[in-house]
Amino acid sequence: MSYLKIDHAGKTFTSGSRSNVVLQDVRLDIAKGEFVSVIGHSGCGKSTLLNMIAGLTETTSGGIILEGREVNAPGPDRAVVFQNHSLLPWLTVYDNVKMGVQKVFGSTKSKAERHDWIMQNLDLVQMGHAAQKRPAELSGGMKQRVGIARALAMEPKILLLDEPFGALDALTRAHLQDAVMEIHARLGNTMIMITHDVDEAVLLADRIVMLTNGPAATVGEVLEVPLARPRDRIRLASHPDYVRAREAVLRFLYERHRFVEAAE
Amino acid sequence: MTVTALKRPAAAAAAPRPAATVHAIPRPRSAASARAARLGRAAAANVLPPVLVVAALLGLWQLLLAGGGAALPSPIEIWQQSGDLILEPFYVAGTQDIGLGWRVLTSLERVGIGFGLAAFVGIAVGAVIGQSAWLMRGVDPLFQVLRTVPPLAWLPISLAAFMDSRPSAIFVIFITAIWPVIINTAAGVRAIPQDYRNVAAVLRLSPLEFFWKIMVPAAAPYIFSGLRIGVGLAWLAIVAAEMLTGGVGIGFFIWDAWNSSMLTDIFVALLYIGATGFALDRLVAFIGTKVSRGTTV
């Protein structure tokens, strides 16, 4: 069976007598260890879908099932890397990661083990050197690295990445994409990444889930990316499968976009 | 043109060698002395203006009232008649004849109890109210009205309720100081970014953990500006309350001095009150910057 099952899930926001259907009938099965990218135009409900998986937003119809149990509240088994890092500015990098570790491993690991685990995760994102710094002293890319370390340190079943690199410059973004690919290869986490960057989606994902335009967005198409790992962005740039996948996503986004506008 | 062209190589050739030997040795010494000079200059720039202004105002005061027959004492008269109160803050010569330092401490004790309670209850109530938009809307008008009630207006009510002057004075402090604490804490809690709430939700923090680990540090700048306003109001209120309730405090001292026509003592007491209020304000501000380090970023 699938690891994460999104079963006819939908989200309707209601305020007073007005209701706004954001997502409708989303169906998706994700296997353990799979890397899935979710792409769609801005405002289509990508982040809402991720928040539903995280449990931060309530699902109003259908359901989401992780390892046989329904998701209806947030929890550290679905750690989120937030779009704007969301590090607590009054804590050091180390303490930011420690907060989650304390919560998840407070009773199962000793103090020394927890310390090693925190440092191990910071080293994994190459931020061990900045353990005692505060978020304000770090660059945007470094903050996001710490955000990833914080999420990984909770040893989640699924790592949810909400457009994590959207606010970064292209070079930093490439570095972080490589870091995420390396972590995925080493730890084999199940990852779901929201993105609006076609190259990012193709480079990182095993499957790309394309959402239709809202309102009432749903899964329009799912594309398998048949590229072997480890992937190298330079060698892939001219690879026929890469080019074909990229083209398919672009075609979906732009033809579907036009189609929806014509239909309205 | 030709002059600059000639000069440049000459200077370049001459400059480096002596510069290396001359600069290398005196640099640390000159840096240390320069730092000392800079510190001295900064101190002079900060201390000199207030000293000069105070001296000028005292001089003006002396000039205006020195003629004799004035209703109020001049600075020199104050010094002559009540200088011992300044020089000896902690003497004890009887139950009612004690130094102003002791009186200030007595008042501070009341403020400490009343303000401590107000801070504790105010932060707790503010934290609860700030969580709920509905509650906030419900209580805000009430608080806005109550916070404008002058401290002394509460005194008859609290005297009637407690039948004793000591708890009444403390209650007046409490009720005066609590409003800005509640209002600011609630505003600070409402201003906690959704991101931090999401982090707390993913970590499944309990309400108590959320309070200590997210709410207090995130709202600390708001809470401390409320506490700072509160401690100022509390100090204002204690003096007024003690004038009416009696006892050993600095407020009662003023009233007592007025009744025994010791005008010069009152001026000295004002000096003590002002200095203490200033110290209280700075103390709360200092704790605030320590606690909320990093939060404002």
Side-chain angles (χ1 to χ4, degrees):
Chain A
M1 272 303 284
S2 58
Y3 193 57
L4 178 81
K5 188 177 181 68
I6 302 172
D7 192 8
H8 300 269
K11 176 72 192 173
T12 307
F13 285 104
T14 322
S15 66
S17 58
R18 291 177 54 144
S19 66
N20 176 21
V21 183
V22 178
L23 288 170
Q24 201 172 41
D25 207 22
V26 178
R27 272 171 284 173
L28 195 62
D29 287 300
I30 293 170
K32 193 169 184 173
E34 200 175 6
F35 196 122
V36 172
S37 285
V38 178
I39 197 165
H41 286 288
S42 64
C44 75
K46 304 187 293 282
S47 287
T48 307
L49 178 62
L50 190 97
N51 283 341
M52 280 158 65
I53 301 170
L56 293 168
T57 300
E58 208 187 341
T59 308
T60 45
S61 64
I64 295 169
I65 294 153
L66 173 63
E67 262 197 331
R69 297 178 74 177
E70 190 177 1
V71 165
N72 46 23
D77 56 339
R78 283 152 287 128
V80 185
V81 178
F82 295 97
Q83 195 166 358
N84 54 352
H85 69 78
S86 293
L87 298 178
L88 303 177
W90 55 86
L91 296 179
T92 60
V93 163
Y94 182 89
D95 288 337
N96 263 290
V97 179
K98 186 177 159 194
M99 205 167 163
V101 171
Q102 208 87 321
K103 205 61 195 158
V104 178
F105 299 110
S107 54
T108 52
K109 281 188 202 281
S110 74
K111 203 176 170 196
E113 282 173 333
R114 290 200 297 266
H115 170 78
D116 291 344
W117 176 243
I118 294 165
M119 288 316 293
Q120 190 185 321
N121 278 283
L122 282 174
D123 288 336
L124 193 65
V125 294
Q126 288 139 43
M127 288 302 294
H129 63 92
Q132 294 311 321
K133 287 196 171 149
R134 280 171 203 278
E137 300 170 65
L138 305 179
S139 69
M142 289 163 115
K143 284 181 201 161
Q144 209 47 278
R145 281 176 189 270
V146 178
I148 293 170
R150 175 174 66 180
L152 284 173
M154 295 182 228
E155 215 164 50
K157 290 178 182 160
I158 293 196
L159 188 66
L160 302 169
L161 303 119
D162 185 5
E163 283 186 41
F165 313 139
L168 304 177
D169 64 89
L171 284 173
T172 311
R173 193 185 305 178
H175 281 299
L176 278 158
Q177 287 164 352
D178 291 342
V180 166
M181 277 196 285
E182 206 189 304
I183 289 164
H184 183 240
R186 211 194 292 183
L187 306 179
N189 308 62
T190 312
M191 297 193 187
I192 301 176
M193 179 189 240
I194 304 292
T195 182
H196 52 225
D197 180 333
V198 177
D199 283 299
E200 184 170 272
V202 176
L203 180 68
L204 295 180
D206 298 315
R207 275 195 299 160
I208 301 173
V209 174
M210 292 171 256
L211 293 186
T212 62
N213 279 337
T218 189
V219 176
E221 213 172 288
V222 178
L223 179 79
E224 299 272 347
V225 183
L227 295 167
R229 292 179 188 272
R231 294 175 183 172
D232 178 282
R233 67 178 68 243
I234 298 163
R235 232 172 293 152
L236 280 181
S238 54
H239 194 289
D241 284 340
Y242 182 87
V243 175
R244 215 172 296 132
R246 202 173 173 279
E247 194 192 331
V249 177
L250 284 171
R251 183 157 287 152
F252 172 88
L253 286 176
Y254 295 103
E255 284 178 1
R256 179 67 72 148
H257 189 59
R258 207 174 295 147
F259 172 71
V260 168
E261 272 181 345
E264 271 183 79
Chain B
M1 272 274 238
T2 48
V3 175
T4 50
L6 272 171
K7 249 187 176 172
R8 217 177 263 159
R17 281 180 200 259
T21 48
V22 173
H23 274 298
I25 297 162
R27 200 173 275 165
R29 205 192 303 158
S30 72
S33 67
R35 204 181 310 132
R38 218 178 308 127
L39 269 175
R41 238 177 290 134
N46 284 317
V47 172
L48 215 53
V51 167
L52 288 179
V53 168
V54 168
L57 287 176
L58 284 175
L60 187 67
W61 180 3
Q62 181 67 32
L63 276 179
L64 287 175
L65 297 177
L72 295 175
S74 69
I76 289 175
E77 280 176 273
I78 292 173
W79 180 254
Q80 282 164 350
Q81 292 175 27
S82 304
D84 54 329
L85 287 177
I86 299 175
L87 296 174
E88 282 181 74
F90 292 104
Y91 73 88
V92 179
T95 46
Q96 273 301 321
D97 190 11
I98 57 174
L100 284 183
W102 292 117
R103 291 181 185 275
V104 165
L105 285 179
T106 316
S107 299
L108 274 179
E109 189 198 333
R110 290 187 187 136
V111 168
I113 299 170
F115 177 68
L117 280 172
F120 183 77
V121 176
I123 292 172
V125 171
V128 171
I129 290 170
Q131 300 279 25
S132 153
W134 189 90
L135 210 55
M136 186 91 166
R137 238 171 281 148
V139 297
D140 193 56
L142 187 68
F143 288 173
Q144 296 296 349
V145 169
L146 286 179
R147 83 184 170 91
T148 62
V149 173
L152 278 189
W154 293 102
L155 192 60
I157 298 172
S158 68
L159 278 172
F162 293 104
M163 305 289 223
D164 186 16
S165 65
R166 198 182 129 83
S168 300
I170 290 173
F171 176 77
V172 167
I173 307 285
F174 171 81
I175 205 75
T176 308
I178 197 170
W179 308 115
V181 180
I182 294 180
I183 292 167
N184 275 41
T185 304
V189 169
R190 290 200 66 69
I192 296 174
Q194 186 58 39
D195 301 330
Y196 301 167
R197 294 182 183 277
N198 284 345
V199 170
V202 169
L203 291 177
R204 285 214 191 115
L205 295 186
S206 69
L208 202 65
E209 284 173 315
F210 181 73
F211 178 79
W212 283 114
K213 292 184 171 171
I214 308 279
M215 199 189 281
V216 169
Y222 286 84
I223 294 175
F224 273 92
S225 70
L227 289 176
R228 221 173 139 181
I229 300 168
V231 82
L233 289 177
W235 191 239
L236 290 183
I238 186 69
V239 173
E242 281 176 349
M243 282 180 148
L244 298 183
T245 59
V248 231
I250 188 83
F252 178 70
F253 175 82
I254 291 180
W255 193 242
D256 200 35
W258 163 248
N259 283 331
S260 47
S261 307
M262 301 286 286
L263 266 185
T264 54
D265 283 3
I266 297 181
F267 279 96
V268 176
L270 291 189
L271 192 66
Y272 272 86
I273 291 171
T276 311
F278 175 75
L280 280 178
D281 182 68
R282 284 301 153 102
L283 180 70
V284 175
F286 174 76
I287 298 170
T289 52
K290 282 283 163 208
V291 170
S292 59
R293 187 166 45 125
T295 306
T296 44
V297 178

